């Protein structure tokens, strides 16, 4: 039973439950009392997980986009609070086991309220602390009998934290297949270990002081304020320390912390209010506890248990069911849909960087393990275009799908450079979704749409030339339009975007500047000079320097594309295709759509592009959130509907009115 605990097949990241504790805790109290506490734990765990998703998806800024003290505070706070995922999972696991009669001790104990470093170590991930004490601390302490007590404590604690560093890397290897220790791991565990050693030595000295026996400690306002101040200070310090661990590189963390020098009065006011509020509320909480009101009661009465656990869970379940059937209205409904599914946020989707627990628990994809270098041809040192796919690649397996390219380096069938008569030609540009990175050749939405358009009788024939290239920015597609696509004489230029275009533009431009690429356009060269950035500068620093010019870059890119198209009688069309993981978050279209419309693009927003299906149904795999073949067919269906509805504005030939709908079956 110990090795095959019921939740283990579902929760692979599992608390280190001691075998003797497992035996001792079975029905240690009446079954009803154990189950009642289990329900409380489950409710607490669900609350932690919901809070984690809100913070992770909406309040977790990328390091390179932080330019002031407010951003530093958000970065540090979110980096610490995403640990709620671990405590939420452990509460959920412990609660389920309690329903089967295992009266387990706490896995965490109000770790945000730690007043010292030893106290913090005792409160957070208690099972891990007990495991490390049993396997490393006490054996080491016992073997050093000839040394003084203080030396034995210091050495044993140091051994514990050294083992913790290695075993955390082993956990990653066990669950993710990689044994990695980042430089910030050494610093995080080293700093925390040294501080815990100091705290342990101070506690050891205090043990020698005789205490006057008495019934209880009398109330002291000064003592309560002092304790609250220590708790608040510990919380702030741990936010900064966890930000170090989450950064994975010291240069990233130092770059973020340096932005604290750029402060505004409101930032200082928020920080001061947070600290003052922590002290005041902490003091009030201690006073209420002293007067007999226990906010965090571990074994509540049945009525309170129902009020604080069952009713909120029923409310959440009802909200969930209503959303699944009818959809919640407005932005709240869009964001609820994002929170509903366990998935990476946009920062990690783009950067593929994780903190320790995020990497361990979930979403990072090792694209490099399956990507074939034979597909990429890096032959554009003279301009800012992205690297092309190698021309004329025979069918091969890349990104777990069949791939081949035509003579022009497109993942598409062969097209003549000169447009034949009786043909309406669309130059399609985009990134990995558009190229159909993770689906078989000929099954991406571009291929499905082109084939369906040409199945209808009559002229003209449609040719959709797929110039998409994975991991590209908007200004790179602009350069590709001018330097490559125009040679094929398209009637229309369709640009597919997914949101956060400005962020992608800054990252790509920073990468080009850092690597010393030729920027091609005088405007981009002048932008680099104005921002004061050059070859070899840290990429995060370049991105921060470019931040004030983000809107200028977007406006220049779209205006140049639109002007280029208008001068050559090419219809420019901007298409918003939501990502699988945020398919209902249409508000992400607003930024790019605004710039596109202002420049003269016709815009199409593909709402419900995946047939309203759950992301789990239309994604490629557990770790690859690109659309699968079913998802691409739904995209083709929705794009055709939009093209038919906007035929006149898009200047499409009348034949499209006779094209039947694309039929899709989830089966």
């Amino acid at each position: 039973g110990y090795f095959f605990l019921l939740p283990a097949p579902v929760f692979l990241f599992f608390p280190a439950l001691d075998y003797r504790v497992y035996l001792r805790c079975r029905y240690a109290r009446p079954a009803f009392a154990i189950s009642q506490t289990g329900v409380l734990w489950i409710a607490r765990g669900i609350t932690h997980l919901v809070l984690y998703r809100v913070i992770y998806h909406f309040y977790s800024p990328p390091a390179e986009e932080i330019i002031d003290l407010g951003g530093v505070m958000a970065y540090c706070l979110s980096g610490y609070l995403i640990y709620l995922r671990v405590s939420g999972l452990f509460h959920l696991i412990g609660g389920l086991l309690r329903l089967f009669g295992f009266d387990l001790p706490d896995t965490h104990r109000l770790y945000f309220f730690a007043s010292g470093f030893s106290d913090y170590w005792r409160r957070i991930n208690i099972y891990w602390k007990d495991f490390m004490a049993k396997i490393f601390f006490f054996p080491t302490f016992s073997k050093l009998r000839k040394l003084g007590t203080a030396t034995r404590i210091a050495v044993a604690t140091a051994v514990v934290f050294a083992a913790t560093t290695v075993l955390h890397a082993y956990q990653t290897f066990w669950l993710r297949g990689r044994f990695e220790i980042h430089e910030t791991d050494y610093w995080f565990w080293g700093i925390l270990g040294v501080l815990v050693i100091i705290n342990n030595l101070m506690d050891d000295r205090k043990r020698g002081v005789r205490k006057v026996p008495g019934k209880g400690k009398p109330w002291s306002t000064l003592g309560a304020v002092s304790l609250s101040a220590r708790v608040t200070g510990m919380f702030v310090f741990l936010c900064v320390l966890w930000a170090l661990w989450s950064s994975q590189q010291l240069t990233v963390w130092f770059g973020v912390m340096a932005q604290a020098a750029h402060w505004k009065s409101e930032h200082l006011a928020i920080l001061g209010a947070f600290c003052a509020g922590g002290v005041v509320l902490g003091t009030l909480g201690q006073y209420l506890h002293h007067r007999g009101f226990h906010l965090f009661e571990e074994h509540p009465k049945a009525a309170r248990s129902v009020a604080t656990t069952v009713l909120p869970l029923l409310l959440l379940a009802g909200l969930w069911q209503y959303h699944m059937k009818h959809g919640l209205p407005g932005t709240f409904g869009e964001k609820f849909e994002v929170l509903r599914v366990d998935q990476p946020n946009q920062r990690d989707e783009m950067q593929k960087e994780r903190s320790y627990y995020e990497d361990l628990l979930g979403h990072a994809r090792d694209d490099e393990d399956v990507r074939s270098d034979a597909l990429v041809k890096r032959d554009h040192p003279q301009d800012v275009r992205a690297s092309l796919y190698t021309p004329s690649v025979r069918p091969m397996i890349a990104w777990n799908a069949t791939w081949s390219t035509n003579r022009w380096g497109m993942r598409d069938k062969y097209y003549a450079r000169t447009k034949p008569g009786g043909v309406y030609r669309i130059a399609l540009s985009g990134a990995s979704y558009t190229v159909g990175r993770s689906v078989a050749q000929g099954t991406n939405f571009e291929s499905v749409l082109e084939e369906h358009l040409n199945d209808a009788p009559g002229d003209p024939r449609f040719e959709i030339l797929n110039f998409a290239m994975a991991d590209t920015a908007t200004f790179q597609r602009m350069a590709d339009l001018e330097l490559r696509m125009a040679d094929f004489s398209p009637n229309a230029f369709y640009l597919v975007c997914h949101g956060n275009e400005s962020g992608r533009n800054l990252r790509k431009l920073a990468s080009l500047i850092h690597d010393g690429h030729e920027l091609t356009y005088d405007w981009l060269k002048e932008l680099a000079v104005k921002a004061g950035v050059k070859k070899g500068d840290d990429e995060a620093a370049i991105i921060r320097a470019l931040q004030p010019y983000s809107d200028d870059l977007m406006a220049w890119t779209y205006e140049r594309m639109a002007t280029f198209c208008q001068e050559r009688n090419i219809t420019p069309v901007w298409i918003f295709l939501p990502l699988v993981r945020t398919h209902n978050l249409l508000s992400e279209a607003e930024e790019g759509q605004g710039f596109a419309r202002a420049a003269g693009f016709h815009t199409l927003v593909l709402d419900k592009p995946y047939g309203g299906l759950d992301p789990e149904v239309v994604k490629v795999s557990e770790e690859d959130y690109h659309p699968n073949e079913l998802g691409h067919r739904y995209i083709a269906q929705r794009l055709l509907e939009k093209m038919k509805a906007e035929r006149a504005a898009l200047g499409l030939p009348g034949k499209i009115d006779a094209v039947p709908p694309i039929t899709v079956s989830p089966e």
Side-chain angles (χ1 to χ4, degrees), residues 465-478:
L465 280 61
N466 195 342
F467 290 95
M469 178 76 190
D471 196 26
T472 52
T474 311
F475 73 87
Q476 291 179 302
R477 298 170 202 164
M478 174 206 73

Side-chain angles (χ1 to χ4, degrees), residues 385-443:
R385 278 183 289 175
S387 302
L388 297 177
Y389 294 120
T390 303
S392 303
V393 173
R394 294 183 178 182
M396 62 181 295
I397 299 298
W399 293 288
N400 295 323
T402 57
W403 266 71
S404 64
T405 60
N406 62 22
R407 65 180 294 187
W408 312 115
M410 307 176 203
R411 194 191 182 202
D412 210 335
K413 60 188 179 183
Y414 174 77
Y415 299 100
R417 185 187 294 272
T418 303
K419 182 175 65 177
V423 166
Y424 185 87
R425 180 172 276 185
I426 298 172
L428 183 67
S429 183
S432 55
Y433 274 49
T434 308
V435 82
R437 196 198 68 166
S438 300
V439 296
Q441 192 85 8
T443 62

Side-chain angles (χ1 to χ4, degrees), residues 547-565:
Q547 281 281 358
Y549 308 100
S550 176
D551 287 353
D552 295 339
L553 178 58
M554 286 282 285
W556 173 77
T557 300
Y558 275 105
E559 288 169 6
R560 188 175 179 101
M561 279 192 290
T563 301
F564 184 87
C565 288

Side-chain angles (χ1 to χ4, degrees), residues 193-477:
V194 168
L195 294 172
V196 170
I197 289 172
I198 294 172
N199 241 170
N200 283 344
L201 294 176
M202 293 172 63
D203 291 342
D204 182 61
R205 287 185 178 181
K206 291 178 182 178
R207 290 189 190 100
V209 180
R210 293 189 60 186
K211 295 182 179 179
V212 179
K215 291 184 178 181
K217 191 174 182 180
W219 167 257
S220 168
T221 302
L222 184 60
V225 171
S226 175
L227 177 60
S228 298
R230 293 199 305 273
V231 169
T232 303
M234 272 294 300
F235 184 86
V236 173
F237 178 83
L238 288 169
C239 284
V240 176
L241 191 61
W242 271 75
L244 167 67
W245 195 21
S246 300
S247 299
Q248 297 192 348
Q249 293 180 358
L250 282 175
T251 54
V252 173
W253 182 77
F254 279 120
V256 170
M257 293 299 110
Q259 304 312 306
H262 307 137
W263 54 271
K264 298 178 181 177
S265 56
E266 55 263 34
H267 298 152
L268 295 178
I270 292 172
L271 182 59
F274 176 84
C275 294
V279 173
V280 171
L281 292 176
T283 304
L284 178 62
Q286 292 178 75
Y287 177 75
L288 293 175
H289 186 273
H290 174 72
R291 300 291 295 179
F293 179 80
H294 302 291
L295 180 63
F296 299 102
E297 189 175 349
E298 190 57 38
H299 307 297
K301 296 180 181 179
R304 183 177 176 185
S305 181
V306 170
T308 58
T309 60
V310 177
L311 293 180
L313 287 177
L314 288 176
L315 177 63
L316 181 62
L319 192 67
W320 190 296
Q321 289 298 317
Y322 182 87
H323 177 72
M324 293 298 293
K325 289 183 178 180
H326 309 289
L328 293 168
T331 304
F332 179 76
E334 293 179 358
K335 292 187 175 181
F336 188 86
E337 180 65 24
V338 174
L339 300 176
R340 191 176 64 84
V341 181
D342 187 23
Q343 56 192 343
N345 65 8
Q346 187 160 316
R347 179 192 69 185
D348 288 321
E349 185 77 12
M350 293 179 62
Q351 293 180 294
K352 304 184 182 79
E353 288 184 7
R354 315 288 302 178
S355 65
Y356 171 78
Y357 283 111
E358 285 309 287
D359 190 28
L360 190 64
L361 287 169
H363 313 297
R365 296 197 311 273
D366 294 326
D367 290 338
E368 290 75 18
D369 293 342
V370 292
R371 177 173 178 167
S372 173
D373 288 335
L375 274 172
V376 181
K377 183 182 180 184
R378 308 179 192 283
D379 64 348
H380 286 306
Q382 74 278 14
D383 59 57
V384 297
R385 278 183 289 175
S387 302
L388 297 177
Y389 294 120
T390 303
S392 303
V393 173
R394 294 183 178 182
M396 62 181 295
I397 299 298
W399 293 288
N400 295 323
T402 57
W403 266 71
S404 64
T405 60
N406 62 22
R407 65 180 294 187
W408 312 115
M410 307 176 203
R411 194 191 182 202
D412 210 335
K413 60 188 179 183
Y414 174 77
Y415 299 100
R417 185 187 294 272
T418 303
K419 182 175 65 177
V423 166
Y424 185 87
R425 180 172 276 185
I426 298 172
L428 183 67
S429 183
S432 55
Y433 274 49
T434 308
V435 82
R437 196 198 68 166
S438 300
V439 296
Q441 192 85 8
T443 62
N444 60 339
F445 73 85
E446 171 268 321
S447 299
V448 172
L449 178 60
E450 182 186 70
E451 181 180 356
H452 191 77
L453 288 171
N454 289 322
D455 280 344
D459 290 326
R461 283 179 44 250
F462 284 88
E463 289 184 352
I464 305 178
L465 280 61
N466 195 342
F467 290 95
M469 178 76 190
D471 196 26
T472 52
T474 311
F475 73 87
Q476 291 179 302
R477 298 170 202 164

Side-chain angles (χ1 to χ4, degrees), residues 167-185:
L167 289 177
H168 273 69
Y170 176 74
Q171 283 187 125
T172 306
F173 169 73
W174 176 250
L175 293 178
R176 308 292 298 168
R178 301 188 311 273
F179 189 91
E180 297 178 350
I181 302 180
H182 300 282
E183 58 179 337
T184 53
D185 294 336

Side-chain angles (χ1 to χ4, degrees), residues 57-71:
H57 283 289
F58 304 117
Y59 302 101
S60 185
E64 61 271 19
E65 293 184 5
I66 294 169
I67 58 175
D68 54 29
L69 178 59

